[in-house]
Amino acid sequence: MTWQKSSYCSEGNSCVHVATTTETIHLTESSDPTGAILNVTPAAFTALLTTLKKKSAHG
């Protein structure tokens, strides 16, 4: 898998990394990239991002 670091991450911090396939979004944390990997469908990931954007817009 090819992992991409979140664009919201500054250098040196613990960050979320994402890798994708056509059927699955894989998420992991940079301090332990081979540890816990969360696998979700694209629809579930989109729902998560939509919810997070709504919450951040409301402060």
Side-chain angles (χ1 to χ4, degrees):
M1 283 186 273
T2 302
W3 293 96
Q4 179 180 351
K5 184 170 80 169
S6 168
S7 61
Y8 288 96
C9 224
S10 60
E11 195 64 36
N13 289 340
S14 186
C15 302
V16 172
H17 288 231
V18 178
T20 62
T21 66
T22 56
E23 298 179 10
T24 309
I25 308 293
H26 309 276
L27 302 163
T28 192
E29 200 263 321
S30 63
S31 68
D32 189 12
T34 60
I37 297 175
L38 176 65
N39 302 301
V40 297
T41 65
F45 188 64
T46 299
L48 171 65
L49 293 179
T50 299
T51 301
L52 292 173
K53 287 177 184 179
K54 286 180 184 176
K55 292 205 179 278
S56 68
H58 295 288

